[in-house]
Amino acid sequence: MIIFCDMIDSKENLSKFHRIYEKYKNTMYYVAYDISKNQHDAEDIVENSLIKVIDILNDIDSEDIDKPRGKNLMITMDLYRANISKIIRQTKV
């Protein structure tokens, strides 16, 4: 988590990231593990997805974070899909 915090440029974005991380970290891991069936791949997927979330923090509205179907969760799930097959292919080579 500390490494992620070093990548964030403002207190507002840091606050948003903390909220997203605390709210979705378990869901992100469980979805990634369910798809990859591997602890290490799941952790890589979550890490890559969180880095992508950091890249778009300015576009995430603070009010959307706590909505059950907030756009940040949808963005994160899309990032899983984009990263999962790449990571799985890399580990099988």
Side-chain angles (χ1 to χ4, degrees):
M1 174 80 159
I2 293 171
I3 294 170
F4 295 125
C5 294
D6 286 343
M7 299 171 66
I8 300 171
D9 58 356
S10 72
K11 288 185 180 185
E12 179 185 357
N13 283 345
L14 186 59
S15 174
K16 284 193 275 188
F17 181 78
H18 279 290
R19 288 175 55 207
I20 291 167
Y21 179 81
E22 290 302 320
K23 185 166 183 81
Y24 296 114
K25 66 182 176 185
N26 292 333
T27 302
M28 292 171 72
Y29 178 79
Y30 291 131
V31 169
Y33 185 84
D34 188 51
I35 293 168
S36 68
K37 307 292 190 233
N38 179 295
Q39 176 186 350
H40 299 292
D41 290 343
E43 290 169 355
D44 288 343
I45 291 165
V46 171
E47 180 178 312
N48 290 336
S49 296
L50 287 171
I51 290 169
K52 299 286 186 185
V53 168
I54 289 170
D55 290 341
I56 59 170
L57 278 172
N58 289 327
D59 299 328
I60 298 173
D61 189 345
S62 289
E63 295 174 7
D64 289 339
I65 294 170
D66 294 320
K67 291 182 180 177
R69 295 202 178 262
K71 70 179 180 182
N72 57 332
L73 179 59
M74 297 301 113
I75 291 167
T76 302
M77 295 304 175
D78 287 341
L79 292 169
Y80 282 147
R81 290 184 198 103
N83 287 316
I84 286 171
S85 48
K86 178 182 171 187
I87 291 170
I88 291 173
R89 278 195 306 269
Q90 289 173 348
T91 59
K92 290 185 178 182
V93 172

